[in-house]
Amino acid sequence: MVKPIVVGIIGAGRIGRLHADNLRVMPSFKLKSIAEAVVGEELLAWAESRNLGSVFVNGEDLLNDPEIEAVFICTPTDTHATWIEKAARAKKNIFCEKPISLSSAQTSRALKIVKEEGVLLQVGFNRRMDPSFRKLKQLVQSGELGKPHVVKITSRDPQPPGEAYVLSSGGMFMDMTIHDFDMARYLMGEEVIEVYTRGANLVDPMFGRCEDVDTAVITLTFASGAICVIDNSRKAVYGYDQRVEVFGSHGSATADNCRPTTVEVSTAASVTRDQPLHFFLERYNQAFTDEVAAFAQAVRLQEPIICSGIDGQQAERLAEAAKESHRTGLPVKLSHGAI
């Protein structure tokens, strides 16, 4: 039997607890500790119900544990890069939620330290592990669709986040669309040479007060000439709308929304089916588990990471370009082969 990887989690919010529950039932891992800046009775009760050995207020205490081999960084975005640097210097392999940081310079510094320390870093773009999107990737790679011409990505949230979250998130392009930027690169397997954005405030004036948008269409042009169109909204009243189409010279393939059932009811009055799943934790439940399993395999076998720090940085740079294009109203050109 293979010895499980001993891990700790820094950050016990919603995503940290999701990973904790997944890790606890996976034989590849042994979850030993969790760290959270504010430890209250509710968190202690939650930790006790999961039989966690330690709950630290200071994440550095967790990093100082020689038994812990890997850490999951699930803290607020503006702390990710700092924790990556600390974890790398502590010689821990790292799984970090997206994005790495809100600054290209800070991300570059963190990646430099990761490389110097010789540890693995996986960025949590979980959608790469969604079974439907992986199938699209396989179809592109196999050549079954021919030369890709157009990729269409629809990503719309069921309800907008609160103002405090928006102010700290880096804006829609860095917080939400960044998943779609990564998906576009993942599917196409090449870099973007131009980004053009049209954004608007159509959902809630709050986004405008936060100098952000809630509705956008972004056009990406790849080095091959292929085009990707991304459309985003912070509020789709019918559910969590997540669709992708790849159109190529030999045909097209589409990944549709996931629904509670596949039942379609046809009567004289109407034809109906279930609305899309309403929450990202439901929609991407399998992907969250599979990305962690892939991390375990990379750590144990020293295999390539499914989503590297460079992948994370490239998605961030696309988000920055999208924001700049929205600000100026002009396309932003990027150097060929490297963003």
Side-chain angles (χ1 to χ4, degrees), residues 102-116:
L102 302 177
S103 159
S104 294
Q106 194 174 20
T107 295
S108 293
R109 172 183 165 85
L111 296 186
K112 181 174 181 289
I113 294 173
V114 166
K115 184 176 181 180
E116 289 173 351

Side-chain angles (χ1 to χ4, degrees), residues 59-76:
E60 292 186 10
D61 292 334
L62 185 151
L63 295 177
N64 288 333
D65 184 343
E67 188 181 5
I68 290 179
E69 303 169 70
V71 295
F72 279 60
I73 298 172
C74 305
T75 54

Side-chain angles (χ1 to χ4, degrees), residues 155-175:
S155 182
R156 303 169 185 160
D157 285 351
Q159 58 192 31
E163 185 169 351
Y165 178 86
V166 173
L167 287 170
S168 65
S169 69
M172 187 172 79
F173 303 126
M174 188 65 75
D175 168 57

Side-chain angles (χ1 to χ4, degrees), residues 294-332:
F295 177 63
Q297 183 166 317
V299 170
R300 278 285 174 251
L301 303 179
Q302 293 296 296
E303 292 183 348
I305 290 289
I306 63 164
C307 189
S308 69
I310 296 299
D311 290 319
Q313 185 174 49
Q314 296 294 69
E316 289 173 27
R317 289 175 173 170
L318 286 175
E320 291 171 345
K323 187 174 181 178
E324 176 67 10
S325 177
H326 171 65
R327 185 185 70 81
T328 63
L330 300 172
V332 173

Side-chain angles (χ1 to χ4, degrees), residues 66-86:
E67 188 181 5
I68 290 179
E69 303 169 70
V71 295
F72 279 60
I73 298 172
C74 305
T75 54
T77 296
D78 60 1
T79 68
H80 286 178
T82 299
W83 282 117
I84 287 174
E85 293 176 21
K86 291 180 178 180

Side-chain angles (χ1 to χ4, degrees), residues 4 12 38 48 55 71 96 111 157 195 208-209 224 227 254 274 288 321:
V38 179
E48 184 178 357
V55 178
V71 295
C96 182
L111 296 186
D157 285 351
V195 179
R209 294 194 302 270
S224 64
I227 299 168
T254 302
D274 291 342
F288 278 115

